[in-house]
Amino acid sequence: MTAQNSQHVNKDTSRAQEEEMEPNGGDEVAGSASVAGADRSEARQDWEARIGRRIAESGPESPVGEGAGLADESAGASLVLDAPKGLAATAGVGQITLSWEPVDGASAYLIYRSKAPDGDFKVLDHGGSDVAAVPLTRYADTGILPGAGYSYRVAAVVVPDSVAGQMSETVEITALEWKEASPDLVEESPSVEITVQADTVVARLERLWWMMGSERLAQLHFGDNGHGNIIGKEFADAIVRARSELGVSHIRSHGIFHDELGSFHRTAEGVSDYDFSGIDSVLDTFVATGVKPIIELSFMPADLAQDPTATVFDWKGIISPPADWDAWGELNERFVSHLVERFGLAEVRTWAFEVWNEANLEVFWTGTKEEYFRLYKEAAKAVKRVDGQLRVGGPATAASEWLEAFVDYVVRNDLPLDFISSHTYGNLPIHLRSLLRRYGLSDVAVWWTEWGVGSTHFGPIHDTPFGAAFVLRGLKASQEQLDALAYWVVSDHFEELGRPPRLFHNGFGLLSVGNLAKPRYWAAKLAAEFPDEVVSLTLEGDGAGSLVDGWAARSETGGLDVLVWNATPNADHFRGVPELQRKIDLLISGLAPGTYRVDVARIDEENSNICRHLPADVEWPSEQQWAALRSADQLSEQRLPDQVVTADGAESVRLTAELTMPGVLRWRLVPQ
């Protein structure tokens, strides 16, 4: 982890501090959880005390500055990348757009900013993202003051916890006074012009959201939550809804070896006893939903743990290394063999096995980095002893850490690796293709098995429309770079730090308790409905391609979807920034002659935002309020006047709309 972002970690302390300062998530967030410190569970207090700590082997921290970072000598991370060239800055209303040329071998880039006249460069952290480095070469800095002077530099990194590369040249710029660019922002927002060529296919959509995350599968057998919601049924229904509406085919979850499922025991005589009936019970229920599991091989059974008292979460997942490494390998081999026997080899080959969860964080692993690598080695070899075509991978680290060290270890020890996995919150996933190529692993898949807009349980960002634009921005940025981008998680039936204290509590779920769709869910649904043939889309104007971005795709029947979103990378602005509103001018050419029905869908504070339909002081709805919420549980759409394209193509389609920040628009054109 680079020193400059060492304070920002998965489910980080900065967000926990924000939550303590604003126990109701701020007045603007309807239904946020009230979570005074005295009411926190013992597990939650322990979590918040330890979540920011890396295990000792993650290395010493160094001062922030040019070239600062952590080099892991064991990982061959001595490669120092060239300085990015062509750094340019353009001032707009409420933002400064930076752009630069890509650097060969880089997974991401660190942006350094100094506000005149102090000259003290600091790395942008995007409002507390767990990874400071950004993968794209275009960025909108919205944390600026009107009329202030700023200086920027950029450096490339091999991976976020490697040494930063050479620094770019410095670019200096003065931020606009807002009314210098637009005399009256209320009546006239700055514009972004979008041009779509519907007859020019540029790519095929990669549906990276085929995997999502969930709470442990044991919830499938849980009953009433105390407020009339049957946990198991609603949890299963959420998975089914994600399958049918979003196209989710696989779900990853924690804790398959948790003692509540009883997989491993040692007799008084020291004999290992295996019982997979509890796992069978939840997997049978899960498989009946039509979705397949990504099985995270965690946490440690008590009878196998070096320290069975070391736990995480309210449900006490044991985070200790095994006391007997041979027994850990045998447990994994027997378990996978049992799955093959019960479900069939062809079926289990469509599943996958990920070794542990975020072992780089003290809260998830009491061992060392080297012990995690051994944990991976023993488990991965055990899986492959059952069948060489079963998929296994890792390291499932927080904040994109340990990736080069892990790849280096895998290659040096000739270990199986079907996918490399990591996690990121509040940022875009970094790009790992160049790292894998350098180690001769071009065929290894890249899976982000956790990803989300916010990093903290009950953090105030989760239920807001900011997440909708975040989702679409990430899905587009990850095309051709990732093979899976798994949003964490599907359902608010989620008990890591206790059951939901109220309906809208800013939980991680795309769906609430009761399976109401939050703004992030609607964004994922717009992506799921997006046609496969992506067509040419270009943007010009204030914040084009950095603040405002878009996607267009045509259907087999000649229709067209155009998605546009307005999203600052800075999570500090999740409640919205008026000066970042933009007028979208859309020009569509290349449509076949005919008449087109036009509908526009919106996701913003006023539209497709279920939380605004429940008073902020209501913890759990009455029957009447539930009925009103279910009636409001729909995407906000409006039919616009039909558009006619003449036979000679002279009449192009022109559409305009105001787009708030945060906000999402989807224009859909359907031939009549």
Side-chain angles (χ1 to χ4, degrees), residues 208-355:
L208 304 176
W209 56 91
W210 58 269
M211 183 198 307
M212 285 189 179
S214 83
E215 172 63 287
R216 72 199 198 282
L217 299 184
Q219 278 196 145
L220 288 165
H221 291 170
F222 291 0
D224 196 306
N225 69 344
H227 304 283
N229 304 95
I230 307 304
I231 296 172
K233 181 181 185 308
E234 290 190 357
F235 185 36
D237 288 347
I239 294 171
V240 170
R241 185 171 176 182
R243 173 179 60 80
S244 62
E245 294 187 352
L246 306 184
V248 173
S249 61
H250 290 70
I251 292 284
R252 169 190 180 265
S253 57
H254 298 320
I256 201 71
F257 291 148
H258 190 280
D259 282 331
E260 67 187 340
L261 298 179
S263 59
F264 178 88
H265 299 283
R266 275 224 162 111
T267 67
E269 295 76 24
V271 177
S272 296
D273 179 34
Y274 303 91
D275 181 359
F276 301 120
S277 59
I279 295 176
D280 290 344
S281 179
V282 296
L283 283 180
D284 287 347
T285 304
F286 176 78
V287 170
T289 67
V291 178
K292 302 173 185 293
I294 302 293
I295 294 180
E296 177 193 298
L297 298 171
S298 73
F299 290 106
M300 198 62 62
D303 287 358
L304 187 52
Q306 288 180 18
D307 181 5
T309 68
T311 65
V312 67
F313 301 146
D314 266 22
W315 42 270
K316 297 188 181 302
I318 297 174
I319 57 175
S320 167
D324 183 334
W325 289 97
D326 290 338
W328 166 252
E330 184 177 2
L331 169 62
N332 282 276
E333 185 172 357
R334 284 177 177 261
F335 169 56
V336 176
S337 295
H338 173 80
L339 294 179
V340 168
E341 180 180 352
R342 183 175 184 83
F343 295 98
L345 179 58
E347 172 63 19
V348 180
R349 281 177 175 173
T350 67
W351 304 1
F353 300 88
E354 186 180 40
V355 182

Side-chain angles (χ1 to χ4, degrees), residues 191-487:
S191 64
V192 173
E193 297 79 36
I194 299 178
T195 301
V196 172
Q197 294 176 282
D199 56 353
T200 304
V201 176
V202 296
R204 188 166 183 84
L205 181 67
E206 296 182 0
R207 299 183 179 274
L208 304 176
W209 56 91
W210 58 269
M211 183 198 307
M212 285 189 179
S214 83
E215 172 63 287
R216 72 199 198 282
L217 299 184
Q219 278 196 145
L220 288 165
H221 291 170
F222 291 0
D224 196 306
N225 69 344
H227 304 283
N229 304 95
I230 307 304
I231 296 172
K233 181 181 185 308
E234 290 190 357
F235 185 36
D237 288 347
I239 294 171
V240 170
R241 185 171 176 182
R243 173 179 60 80
S244 62
E245 294 187 352
L246 306 184
V248 173
S249 61
H250 290 70
I251 292 284
R252 169 190 180 265
S253 57
H254 298 320
I256 201 71
F257 291 148
H258 190 280
D259 282 331
E260 67 187 340
L261 298 179
S263 59
F264 178 88
H265 299 283
R266 275 224 162 111
T267 67
E269 295 76 24
V271 177
S272 296
D273 179 34
Y274 303 91
D275 181 359
F276 301 120
S277 59
I279 295 176
D280 290 344
S281 179
V282 296
L283 283 180
D284 287 347
T285 304
F286 176 78
V287 170
T289 67
V291 178
K292 302 173 185 293
I294 302 293
I295 294 180
E296 177 193 298
L297 298 171
S298 73
F299 290 106
M300 198 62 62
D303 287 358
L304 187 52
Q306 288 180 18
D307 181 5
T309 68
T311 65
V312 67
F313 301 146
D314 266 22
W315 42 270
K316 297 188 181 302
I318 297 174
I319 57 175
S320 167
D324 183 334
W325 289 97
D326 290 338
W328 166 252
E330 184 177 2
L331 169 62
N332 282 276
E333 185 172 357
R334 284 177 177 261
F335 169 56
V336 176
S337 295
H338 173 80
L339 294 179
V340 168
E341 180 180 352
R342 183 175 184 83
F343 295 98
L345 179 58
E347 172 63 19
V348 180
R349 281 177 175 173
T350 67
W351 304 1
F353 300 88
E354 186 180 40
V355 182
W356 213 255
N357 178 73
E358 299 188 357
N360 59 318
L361 299 185
E362 180 185 294
V363 76
F364 281 116
W365 183 241
T366 63
T368 65
K369 178 194 289 187
E370 289 70 24
E371 285 177 308
Y372 169 74
F373 286 173
R374 183 175 182 185
L375 188 86
Y376 178 84
K377 178 179 72 173
E378 301 298 340
K381 292 172 76 171
V383 170
K384 293 295 187 178
R385 283 196 296 270
V386 177
D387 180 72
Q389 293 185 48
L390 295 176
R391 295 182 292 179
V392 65
T397 44
S400 309
E401 294 179 355
W402 288 9
L403 295 175
E404 185 164 18
F406 176 73
V407 169
D408 183 74
Y409 177 84
V410 164
V411 170
R412 284 191 289 107
N413 291 276
D414 193 26
L415 297 178
L417 182 66
D418 296 297
F419 60 90
I420 185 170
S421 62
S422 193
H423 304 160
T424 295
Y425 285 87
N427 202 345
L428 303 176
I430 64 170
H431 295 169
L432 292 177
R433 300 293 192 200
S434 60
L435 173 68
L436 293 173
R437 284 194 298 269
R438 186 154 62 86
Y439 280 86
L441 299 177
S442 297
D443 293 337
V444 170
V446 180
W447 292 0
W448 244 248
T449 52
E450 288 188 27
W451 177 66
V453 66
S455 58
T456 303
H457 299 74
F458 316 114
I461 198 171
H462 293 291
D463 289 354
T464 67
F466 187 89
F470 175 89
V471 165
L472 293 174
R473 184 168 174 262
L475 292 178
K476 182 184 179 184
S478 299
Q479 296 286 304
E480 301 182 4
Q481 296 294 334
L482 274 61
D483 299 285
L485 184 54
Y487 201 90

Side-chain angles (χ1 to χ4, degrees), residues 484-620:
L485 184 54
Y487 201 90
W488 187 261
V489 290
V490 169
S491 169
D492 266 354
H493 282 300
F494 187 83
E495 303 188 354
E496 290 183 350
L497 300 186
R499 289 183 177 173
R502 59 193 300 156
L503 178 60
F504 295 136
H505 62 283
N506 277 298
F508 286 112
L510 298 178
L511 294 168
S512 74
V513 171
N515 290 333
L516 303 169
K518 302 180 190 179
R520 288 169 291 140
Y521 183 91
W522 291 123
K525 191 169 188 295
L526 293 183
E529 294 176 352
F530 206 53
D532 288 328
E533 290 190 328
V534 180
V535 299
S536 173
L537 180 147
T538 58
L539 304 96
E540 293 184 359
D542 190 335
S546 56
L547 179 71
V548 175
D549 205 351
W551 229 352
R554 70 183 191 188
S555 67
E556 295 180 354
T557 59
L560 183 75
D561 276 15
V562 181
L563 280 168
V564 183
W565 54 90
N566 186 349
T568 171
N570 191 340
D572 282 340
H573 299 158
F574 73 91
R575 291 191 176 97
V577 179
E579 60 265 23
L580 295 180
Q581 179 167 315
R582 294 296 183 262
K583 177 184 177 184
I584 306 302
D585 293 315
L586 174 64
L587 172 65
I588 304 171
S589 62
L591 289 169
T595 299
Y596 290 81
R597 171 175 172 153
V598 182
D599 294 280
V600 62
R602 298 177 182 272
I603 309 173
D604 52 38
E605 185 64 31
E606 300 298 321
N607 297 281
S608 310
N609 182 11
I610 193 65
C611 296
R612 66 184 293 270
H613 294 277
L614 186 69
D617 60 349
V618 174
E619 293 186 353
W620 293 99

Side-chain angles (χ1 to χ4, degrees), residues 136-156:
L136 303 182
T137 58
R138 194 170 181 86
Y139 183 90
D141 182 13
T142 60
I144 59 174
L145 297 175
Y150 293 92
S151 299
Y152 295 91
R153 300 171 180 170
V154 177

